[in-house]
Amino acid sequence: IHVFNRHSRQRNYKTEFESCSLEAIPLDFGDYHPLKPITVTESKTKKMGRKGSTSSTSSSSSSSMVDPLSSVLDGTDPLSMFAATSDPMTYRETVTDSSRKKRDRDDNSTIGTDFEPWSSKRGDILARYTTTEKLSINLFMGSEKGKAAASTSAVSEKVRTRLEELDDLEEGSQRELLNLTQQDYMNRIEELNQSLKDAWASDQKVKALKIVIQCSKLLSDTSVIQFYPSKFVLITDILDTFGKLVYERIFSMCVDNRSVLSDHFSPENVNDTAKETCLNWFFKIASIRELIPRFYVEAAILNCNKFLSKIGISECLPRLTCMIRGIGDPLVSVYARAYLCRVGMEVAPHLKESLNKNFFDFLLTFKQIHGDTVQNQLVVQGVEIPLYLTLYSPAIDWILQCIAYHAPEVLLTEMMERCKKLGNNALLLNSVMSAFRAEFIATRSMDFIGMIKECDESGFPKHLLFRSLGLNLALADPPESDRLQILNEAWKVITKLKNPQDYINCAEVWVEYTCRHFTKREVNTVLADVIKHMTPDRAFEDAYPQLHSIIQKVITYFHDFSVLFSVEKFLPFLDMFQKENIRVEVCKCIMEAFINALTLEDEKRMLSVLINGFIKMVSFGRDFEQQLSFYVETRSMFCNLEPVLVQLIHSVNKLTMETRRVMKGNHSRKTAAFVRACVAFCFITIPSLTGIFTRLNLYLHSGQVALANQCLSQADAFFRAAVSLVPEVPKMINVDGKMRPSESFLLEFLCNLFSTLLIVPDHPEQGVLFLVRGLLNVIQDYTWEDNSDDKIRIYTSVLHLLSAMSQETYLYHVDKVDSNDSLYGGDSKFLAENNKLCETVITQILEHLKALGKDETLKRQSILALSFFNSILAHGDLRNNKLNQLSVNLWNLAQRHGCADTRTMVKTLEYIKKRSKQPEMSHLSELALRLPLQTRT
């Protein structure tokens, strides 16, 4: 490795440049001319229709539902019957079919990010619906008794085995866990979830199904009714786990077709084994005797219908919707509908009819809430009707959210009519306002106010309805003619509230509506009313968050400082913030509204553009000292505007070069002093800048200007400052408001610096190549990303620099500056020091290549090996045997693991053969013979 620099190829740059010039070849355009009209010949082909008739497959089914267990008596497997009719359908493509399919794909394939997922609601439900009562879990986890004999010889062995498994699931030994706290209950459910995963992982599929069935049965228990929503969340987590495991199991059985089984695969792509397994799961579930576990477990694997039929999901959803009608408890049934809507939105969001049907079925059974059965249950548990009604909110809100997602406005009208028929039930009305788009609600604000007035307030307070309406009006504007009447109607209800918390929760929402649409007079009235309600008994001390929110809303809409403080009740409102730290935060909030950081930056940017434009226009002709004085004065005036400082540095550097041009040949002391003053201006200004790459590039640019003006010690100072700043480069930098990795920018800067260092003469007191050695130390100590090869790319560029420095005459020079080729004249000590640096750099490169020998980094190893090979080819003297062998080793390493691009390798070899025909390059022909091309098998 020590031979690289000692045997650098001697370069004749002038000859190389001439050899790279393009050869002029005359072109014959013939009749072609870019402005000549183009003649287009149209070729028509008659499109033939498909021959033969298209037969349609029809199937008949009984309108009455078949009990899957009763059919066992005659030996018929219900899922075998299903399989017989679930063959893929043959479609006849027509224009109508094609357009319908395209519409379905475009509109219904997935739900967007604007749909709030169930996972975001889970935590709120668990936190809100809690209990201090003791809970219990009844589990039937299988029995040890023998299997019952078949009742008839007609029953097949497979069917009998399946039924025995299900009997074992449902008739097993009972295990009852009593007196559980809420936390104990949640821990036990989590243990069951883990047991399900463990059983599945150990291939105990029947045990896994047992766990899911028994957990589903818990959803029929409403003995601690206020905990039911949280119980629903916990149990459906287990169901989700089970559904995912089953789906992934069946999907894995199609591994031979994995390449075609995308998220939108067709049943035709599913093999028979996977279909049989899927049918088996559905049959097991269809044989569960109890309705609630049978419904929940089948809903959990609803997505598996995609393995069997294109229309399986669309057929199952209406059937499962009808199954829920058999659940007598209205609370249990509404959560079952919520779960069905949830899985339906996940697997088939386009099937809106099923969503609507679930909600309308719920409305039909809603009167059960006031029936004797429910009322007696509430009396026994000591639960009041308002609390009971809140238990419905998560389920109804979710169902309506699914229905309202991208729903047309006409559906809201239908919902409002159905609510009216139910007597404007407040719970339903609140859910409707929460679910549909704010624009739809706002345009019907007066209609909703009329419905709110007619609501029965005993079950659900009206002020909560007005709060929901206010939240919509904060997002969308009602008709202008209705705005004042809406505020008056809402505030009539709000101002009568006696409970301070109820009042402030509602008033907080309507303050924004007032600020949005009215003047300071109306806002002052609202603030006065808030003060009136929150001052007695110092109620404001329990409402600081809401009061702070009101302040933020007011200052959002009142941008004029003088107008804000002319609102009579604004300062008395601030007096309610009597807790010191809260008061400070509110005052900071007000100040930030009028001295906004973003606005300030925008103003700075705009001012900087104007000032920089002015700076560029100011000229004192050849009075360079006056020009520099102007720049110094400007810097003192605008030292806080970084873009102005950057412009001043560029202007001073330009002034320095202009002085050099005008004063050419006149090297007076006065001129030299002026130039040094300009250089000093830049050197003391750059550190005040914040952008690290701005500083690096200005150090480099200013150093180049100093070098061009023969200010060698000042140039050294700039370059040393740049080198010492490199370790401070952070891993991520802000680029146009986005955080980006900095290594690519650092690589670009260092390559530019290397190009300059070629012509920088060594300092007589610092030793040979002191800047290059210092820079190599910085590069070595810098913390590079583990998956980055930029450090090695930099080392490769350093080799190029050192190779150029070993030449007798450098590629370029600065006028009147003696570079190292003139200072050393090929001195052996200089070349020896150069050689040591080369040895160090090459060692680092080869060690890095060795470290990339792992499977996951072989591609990077191949790319770097070929890059290093090309560097040796360009800069090394390959007549040296050791260097020649190193290049061959790199070539083989690039191809060793089949990661190299064959086309690139072929072109590289062709280039070597072509160069071998040039004068003094015949030795490359021998090298070409030693460079094999490996083929991939």
Side-chain angles (χ1 to χ4, degrees):
I1 58 178
H2 64 282
V3 299
F4 179 78
N5 189 268
R6 191 174 296 167
H7 294 280
S8 293
R9 182 167 61 87
Q10 292 301 311
R11 311 287 291 274
N12 188 325
Y13 291 117
K14 183 177 180 181
T15 303
E16 289 184 26
F17 179 78
E18 291 175 352
S19 67
C20 293
S21 300
L22 297 177
E23 181 181 358
I25 300 176
L27 298 178
D28 182 12
F29 289 98
D31 293 334
Y32 170 77
H33 190 279
L35 299 182
K36 183 178 179 180
I38 299 175
T39 303
V40 179
T41 304
E42 182 178 0
S43 176
K44 295 183 178 180
T45 303
K46 183 176 181 181
K47 188 174 182 180
M48 302 298 293
R50 287 183 292 178
K51 293 183 179 181
S53 60
T54 304
S55 60
S56 60
T57 303
S58 62
S59 61
S60 60
S61 61
S62 173
S63 60
S64 61
M65 295 186 64
V66 179
D67 182 350
L69 294 181
S70 63
S71 60
V72 174
L73 298 177
D74 60 6
T76 305
D77 184 337
L79 288 190
S80 298
M81 297 172 59
F82 171 65
T85 60
S86 64
D87 292 335
M89 299 177 64
T90 303
Y91 293 96
R92 179 164 53 94
E93 292 290 346
T94 63
V95 175
T96 304
D97 290 337
S98 177
S99 61
R100 175 178 56 80
K101 290 179 181 178
K102 183 178 186 301
R103 183 179 67 250
D104 290 345
R105 284 196 304 269
D106 293 345
D107 298 340
N108 310 316
S109 57
T110 58
I111 54 178
T113 55
D114 55 337
F115 183 83
E116 185 181 6
W118 173 259
S119 58
S120 66
K121 301 176 181 294
R122 182 182 181 281
D124 292 337
I125 296 174
L126 291 175
R128 180 180 178 187
Y129 298 97
T130 60
T131 183
T132 56
E133 295 188 27
K134 297 299 182 181
L135 302 163
S136 63
I137 299 179
N138 293 314
L139 297 176
F140 299 83
M141 297 307 296
S143 67
E144 304 299 329
K145 66 180 182 178
K147 309 296 182 184
S151 58
T152 173
S153 59
V155 180
S156 67
E157 185 66 25
K158 179 185 286 187
V159 175
R160 183 167 61 252
T161 300
R162 288 170 173 168
L163 289 178
E164 287 173 349
E165 289 176 352
L166 265 296
D167 287 341
D168 186 43
L169 296 182
E170 300 194 84
E171 298 176 3
S173 59
Q174 179 176 352
R175 182 184 176 191
E176 187 172 15
L177 302 177
L178 301 174
N179 296 323
L180 299 176
T181 65
Q182 177 180 317
Q183 188 58 50
D184 293 337
Y185 188 94
M186 296 174 68
N187 293 341
R188 182 55 184 154
I189 294 298
E190 180 55 36
E191 290 174 8
L192 289 171
N193 199 355
Q194 187 59 47
S195 297
L196 166 64
K197 297 176 183 177
D198 294 341
W200 192 274
S202 59
D203 204 28
Q204 300 181 60
K205 304 297 189 295
V206 174
K207 181 180 178 181
L209 184 57
K210 288 181 184 180
I211 295 172
V212 176
I213 292 174
Q214 296 306 319
C215 289
S216 300
K217 287 182 179 181
L218 297 176
L219 290 174
S220 61
D221 176 22
T222 58
S223 56
V224 184
I225 201 165
Q226 64 267 34
F227 184 65
Y228 191 85
S230 291
K231 180 197 290 188
F232 171 80
V233 169
L234 298 171
I235 299 300
T236 52
D237 284 349
I238 296 178
L239 288 163
D240 294 342
T241 300
F242 177 72
K244 182 179 180 181
L245 292 172
V246 174
Y247 183 89
E248 291 178 349
R249 165 64 176 159
I250 299 172
F251 191 88
S252 67
M253 300 177 73
C254 308
V255 68
D256 54 326
N257 293 331
R258 180 72 68 134
S259 59
V260 297
L261 279 185
S262 64
D263 291 340
H264 304 287
F265 65 86
S266 173
E268 288 85 351
N269 304 127
V270 180
N271 58 40
D272 293 340
T273 303
K275 286 186 177 180
E276 176 64 23
T277 302
C278 187
L279 289 170
N280 187 46
W281 276 111
F282 278 110
F283 177 69
K284 285 180 182 291
I285 293 168
S287 302
I288 299 172
R289 291 194 178 105
E290 293 186 27
L291 173 61
I292 289 179
R294 184 167 74 247
F295 161 78
Y296 272 106
V297 179
E298 181 174 357
I301 67 166
L302 179 67
N303 200 26
C304 294
N305 280 280
K306 295 196 296 186
F307 295 109
L308 302 175
S309 169
K310 292 181 178 179
I311 59 174
I313 294 176
S314 61
E315 290 179 341
C316 283
L317 281 173
R319 178 173 56 79
L320 291 172
T321 300
C322 292
M323 283 177 64
I324 300 175
R325 294 176 181 176
I327 301 176
D329 190 307
L331 184 65
V332 176
S333 68
V334 75
Y335 276 94
R337 296 188 188 282
Y339 186 68
L340 184 58
C341 289
R342 178 153 75 85
V343 296
M345 282 296 288
E346 291 173 358
V347 303
H350 58 288
L351 299 177
K352 292 285 190 180
E353 186 58 36
S354 174
L355 301 173
N356 297 343
K357 186 65 176 173
N358 269 287
F359 183 72
F360 295 150
D361 277 4
F362 163 71
L363 294 182
L364 292 174
T365 61
F366 192 71
K367 293 181 180 179
Q368 288 180 294
I369 292 175
H370 302 286
D372 292 341
T373 303
V374 173
Q375 294 298 319
N376 293 337
Q377 183 185 23
L378 297 182
V379 171
V380 171
Q381 297 197 36
V383 176
E384 298 293 335
I385 191 68
L387 174 60
Y388 177 68
L389 288 177
T390 62
L391 303 179
Y392 285 80
S393 293
I396 299 175
D397 289 348
W398 177 259
I399 295 172
L400 281 170
Q401 178 185 325
C402 297
I403 292 173
Y405 184 64
H406 290 178
E409 194 170 0
V410 66
L411 183 60
L412 175 58
T413 303
E414 182 179 356
M415 291 294 179
M416 294 174 68
E417 291 300 321
R418 288 180 179 260
C419 285
K420 289 178 181 178
K421 290 180 181 178
L422 285 174
N424 293 326
N425 180 272
L427 175 67
L428 297 178
L429 198 58
N430 189 68
S431 295
V432 168
M433 287 191 291
S434 301
F436 280 86
R437 289 174 55 186
E439 294 83 354
F440 297 169
I441 304 296
T443 56
R444 296 169 171 79
S445 297
M446 290 307 301
D447 294 333
F448 276 104
I449 287 176
M451 295 172 69
I452 292 172
K453 286 181 176 180
E454 297 175 5
C455 283
D456 179 10
E457 197 170 9
S458 60
F460 200 94
K462 288 184 180 180
H463 71 268
L464 294 180
L465 297 176
F466 274 105
R467 186 177 190 277
S468 296
L469 179 60
L471 289 172
N472 282 283
L473 296 180
L475 300 173
D477 299 333
E480 188 172 357
S481 58
D482 296 338
R483 291 174 185 174
L484 182 58
Q485 186 178 357
I486 291 171
L487 179 60
N488 289 333
E489 293 290 347
W491 211 261
K492 284 179 185 177
V493 176
I494 297 170
T495 195
K496 292 179 182 178
L497 293 173
K498 302 299 182 183
N499 184 292
Q501 279 299 320
D502 290 344
Y503 171 84
I504 196 63
N505 287 335
C506 205
E508 174 200 356
V509 173
W510 281 90
V511 164
E512 182 165 4
Y513 174 80
T514 309
C515 295
R516 188 183 180 106
H517 299 295
F518 298 98
T519 65
K520 68 175 185 178
R521 184 174 70 88
E522 289 80 9
V523 172
N524 189 66
T525 302
V526 170
L527 294 181
D529 195 64
V530 174
I531 295 171
K532 175 183 175 182
H533 280 78
M534 302 307 295
T535 301
D537 300 324
R538 301 178 66 85
F540 55 78
E541 292 183 343
D542 297 322
Y544 282 139
Q546 295 91 332
L547 296 174
H548 192 176
S549 175
I550 290 175
I551 288 291
Q552 289 178 314
K553 290 177 171 62
V554 171
I555 63 180
T556 297
Y557 290 94
F558 285 83
H559 303 287
D560 191 326
F561 197 83
S562 59
V563 172
L564 177 64
F565 283 92
S566 67
V567 177
E568 181 184 352
K569 295 298 180 179
F570 183 73
L571 291 177
F573 190 94
L574 289 178
D575 289 338
M576 288 193 292
F577 294 97
Q578 296 187 9
K579 194 173 182 180
E580 186 63 26
N581 62 329
I582 300 294
R583 188 180 185 88
V584 170
E585 285 299 318
V586 172
C587 292
K588 285 172 60 178
C589 178
I590 296 171
M591 291 302 299
E592 287 172 359
F594 296 101
I595 310 175
N596 183 276
L598 179 61
T599 304
L600 185 60
E601 287 302 316
D602 288 340
E603 290 179 358
K604 282 185 177 181
R605 194 176 297 111
M606 181 183 68
L607 289 172
S608 298
V609 170
L610 295 174
I611 294 169
N612 287 343
F614 174 74
I615 291 172
K616 293 176 183 178
M617 296 174 63
V618 174
S619 173
F620 291 89
R622 294 197 175 187
D623 191 345
F624 298 137
E625 292 184 357
Q626 186 64 35
Q627 189 81 31
L628 180 60
S629 298
F630 167 72
Y631 292 146
V632 172
E633 186 177 356
T634 304
R635 181 181 62 183
S636 65
M637 295 175 61
F638 302 108
C639 58
N640 62 331
L641 295 178
E642 183 160 319
V644 175
L645 296 180
V646 172
Q647 178 60 49
L648 288 172
I649 294 171
H650 284 303
S651 297
V652 170
N653 279 328
K654 183 179 179 181
L655 177 64
T656 308
M657 296 304 295
E658 181 68 12
T659 304
R660 178 177 180 269
R661 184 186 67 82
V662 174
M663 299 296 180
K664 191 172 184 179
N666 181 14
H667 300 288
S668 65
R669 290 185 177 181
K670 185 177 181 180
T671 302
F674 174 78
V675 170
R676 287 196 295 271
C678 291
V679 172
F681 177 96
C682 297
F683 192 77
I684 65 176
T685 306
I686 292 174
S688 64
L689 304 176
T690 57
I692 191 161
F693 279 101
T694 302
R695 281 183 281 162
L696 283 171
N697 288 309
L698 285 175
Y699 274 134
L700 177 57
H701 181 214
S702 300
Q704 291 168 341
V705 171
L707 192 64
N709 285 274
Q710 298 92 51
C711 297
L712 301 185
S713 60
Q714 288 85 352
D716 277 346
F718 279 115
F719 298 139
R720 285 200 304 269
V723 171
S724 63
L725 190 59
V726 169
E728 299 180 22
V729 174
K731 293 293 174 290
M732 305 291 290
I733 58 172
N734 190 308
V735 180
D736 296 332
K738 296 182 179 179
M739 299 306 294
R740 302 286 175 81
S742 63
E743 285 194 4
S744 60
F745 298 93
L746 181 58
L747 177 61
E748 179 184 2
F749 166 76
L750 290 175
C751 289
N752 290 335
L753 179 58
F754 295 151
S755 300
T756 302
L757 292 183
L758 174 63
I759 54 175
V760 177
D762 283 342
H763 194 285
E765 298 177 0
Q766 299 293 336
V768 178
L769 299 176
F770 77 99
L771 282 174
V772 177
R773 285 188 281 106
L775 187 55
L776 283 175
N777 291 333
V778 168
I779 295 170
Q780 176 64 27
D781 295 338
Y782 187 80
T783 305
W784 302 88
E785 295 292 339
D786 294 336
N787 59 347
S788 170
D789 298 317
D790 285 338
K791 180 179 180 180
I792 303 306
R793 293 188 177 93
I794 291 171
Y795 278 148
T796 304
S797 297
V798 172
L799 283 180
H800 300 167
L801 169 63
L802 294 174
S803 176
M805 284 182 164
S806 69
Q807 302 298 317
E808 292 183 3
T809 304
Y810 289 172
L811 178 59
Y812 46 84
H813 295 85
V814 174
D815 188 29
K816 298 180 182 179
V817 174
D818 291 332
S819 299
N820 286 339
D821 57 341
S822 300
L823 293 179
Y824 295 109
D827 181 74
S828 59
K829 292 183 179 180
F830 171 77
L831 294 178
E833 186 65 28
N834 193 312
N835 183 62
K836 289 180 182 179
L837 293 178
C838 279
E839 181 177 344
T840 301
V841 171
I842 293 176
T843 300
Q844 292 291 328
I845 295 175
L846 294 180
E847 287 180 356
H848 187 80
L849 284 172
K850 184 178 179 180
L852 294 178
K854 302 176 183 177
D855 290 343
E856 62 272 17
T857 56
L858 292 178
K859 181 67 174 178
R860 289 165 54 194
Q861 184 189 62
S862 174
I863 293 173
L864 288 179
L866 183 59
S867 175
F868 192 23
F869 171 86
N870 287 329
S871 294
I872 294 176
L873 181 65
H875 300 279
D877 186 355
L878 291 172
R879 288 173 294 190
N880 177 268
N881 292 334
K882 292 183 178 180
L883 196 59
N884 192 293
Q885 183 59 48
L886 176 59
S887 66
V888 172
N889 293 342
L890 290 170
W891 176 271
N892 292 331
L893 180 61
Q895 300 184 97
R896 180 175 299 168
H897 300 286
C899 296
D901 180 59
T902 303
R903 184 176 180 184
T904 302
M905 304 301 288
V906 169
K907 286 187 172 294
T908 303
L909 187 56
E910 290 176 351
Y911 169 75
I912 295 172
K913 292 177 180 179
K914 183 177 180 181
R915 280 194 61 190
S916 67
K917 298 177 182 179
Q918 297 177 1
E920 300 183 0
M921 289 293 175
S922 58
H923 59 282
L924 292 181
S925 59
E926 181 183 350
L927 174 65
L929 295 175
R930 302 179 63 197
L931 302 179
L933 286 174
Q934 297 182 4
T935 58
R936 299 183 185 180
T937 58

